[in-house]
Amino acid sequence: MKVPDLNPAGYREAVLIQNRLRKKLILQTSFDKNNVNIIAGCDNSIIKEKNLMLAGVILFKFNEAKELVIIEKTFSKGKINFPYIPGLLSFREIPTLLSAFKKLKNKPDLIFADGQGYAHPRRMGLASHLGIILNTPTIGVAKSRYIGVFKEPGKRKGSVTDLVDKDEIIGKVFRNRANVKPVFISPGHLVGMNDIINLVKMVSGKFRIPVPTRIAHIETGKFRMELLNNVKKK
DNA sequence: GCGACAG
DNA sequence: ATCTTGTCGC
């Protein structure tokens, strides 16, 4: 993945890349969830003092009780070579994510990424960008709003409202657990706006964050602790 | 010009 | 994202 330099020219280049990718973005797909066998969740972590970006990918399958079971985990680390700029998050986090995805033995049918997908100023958030690069369906699961306006969803688990930007529905605000802050779901690549909530409900679990990204976050945190402990031993 | 701003 | 103690509530 091309990561532009951090200067005004690089910034413009990153925006151009996103605008070009947007033309490749495919949303209007009726997604057949019966073809979903392997599900992935991914997340990043940072060791600031070492300038390290970490990434983890967790693969799941459904057992007979329709529960998610972990079948594979991969992790990766790499130098941080792009700052945090709202709108350009993918250039910071995707390179390390890709090296973790390359280590997988199995190929996921659907990826849940921690961040926005279509709910982005250029409709090209982390989840969309990742899906296009991997040519795999993705869904963005963000813990907070980036852009858009919405009505507060009902307090019950499963309540949904639209996330709207300039009169366009760009995602959904979804309460994954009763009386807890909602999450912000938006299509990534190869998944339509009408399918994302049903797909998230398949992996909702018991907590605020749906299972794939929640477990990916926890496991990547463990990976981070292991790295810090190894440094300590030396 | 001012405020907002995924991780 | 990371840093970071106690504390309120189911």
Side-chain angles (χ1 to χ4, degrees):
Chain A
M1 179 201 187
K2 166 88 175 172
V3 178
D5 294 330
L6 167 60
N7 55 34
Y11 185 92
R12 287 193 298 272
E13 183 185 358
V15 170
L16 285 177
I17 289 173
Q18 290 188 332
N19 286 336
R20 179 153 38 81
L21 286 174
R22 183 185 172 178
K23 295 171 186 168
K24 298 186 179 179
L25 187 66
I26 299 175
L27 288 192
Q28 297 305 322
T29 297
S30 61
F31 198 92
D32 183 6
K33 56 184 172 186
N34 295 317
N35 285 338
V36 176
N37 183 27
I38 300 176
I39 283 178
C42 58
D43 195 18
N44 296 82
S45 182
I46 286 173
I47 302 177
K48 195 177 175 184
E49 56 272 26
K50 297 287 286 180
N51 196 41
L52 275 181
M53 173 66 70
L54 314 181
V57 181
I58 314 296
L59 295 188
F60 306 83
K61 262 184 176 175
F62 288 105
N63 64 13
E64 295 190 354
K66 288 188 176 179
E67 299 158 335
L68 288 172
V69 178
I70 296 175
I71 62 166
E72 192 178 353
K73 311 175 188 176
T74 60
F75 302 95
S76 186
K77 61 176 188 287
K79 242 187 68 181
I80 298 176
N81 45 26
F82 203 85
Y84 171 66
I85 301 171
L88 300 180
L89 181 62
S90 56
F91 295 97
R92 177 175 171 85
E93 300 202 334
I94 285 187
T96 320
L97 277 175
L98 286 181
S99 61
F101 271 98
K102 279 180 188 163
K103 296 178 182 175
L104 292 171
K105 294 177 181 175
N106 300 282
K107 291 298 165 202
D109 303 305
L110 174 63
I111 298 168
F112 291 86
D114 72 311
Q116 314 288 353
Y118 193 74
H120 177 279
R122 286 173 291 281
R123 307 295 184 253
M124 189 48 57
L126 170 67
S128 314
H129 198 152
L130 183 66
I132 289 174
I133 289 178
L134 294 175
N135 190 31
T136 302
T138 53
I139 293 177
V141 181
K143 296 178 288 298
S144 62
R145 185 201 72 104
Y146 178 19
I147 63 165
V149 296
F150 62 95
K151 292 183 297 184
E152 188 73 15
K155 291 299 181 188
R156 295 180 27 170
K157 175 183 175 75
S159 301
V160 194
T161 57
D162 291 331
L163 182 62
V164 177
D165 179 47
K166 301 171 187 169
D167 296 324
E168 180 186 14
I169 296 176
I170 58 173
K172 303 285 180 179
V173 185
F174 180 66
R175 187 96 58 191
N176 197 45
R177 176 173 177 159
N179 303 309
V180 166
K181 279 178 53 175
V183 289
F184 297 77
I185 313 294
S186 58
H189 188 45
L190 300 171
V191 178
M193 192 66 69
N194 294 330
D195 293 323
I196 54 174
I197 292 303
N198 284 334
L199 290 168
V200 169
K201 282 180 176 175
M202 287 172 51
V203 299
S204 64
K206 303 171 67 174
F207 304 102
R208 180 169 93 99
I209 310 298
V211 173
T213 48
R214 173 184 154 81
I215 301 302
H217 182 75
I218 293 170
E219 292 293 328
T220 307
K222 289 181 188 173
F223 176 64
R224 180 178 191 272
M225 286 306 297
E226 288 169 15
L227 287 183
L228 291 174
N229 287 332
N230 285 337
V231 170
K232 220 176 190 178
K233 286 176 185 174
K234 283 181 182 176

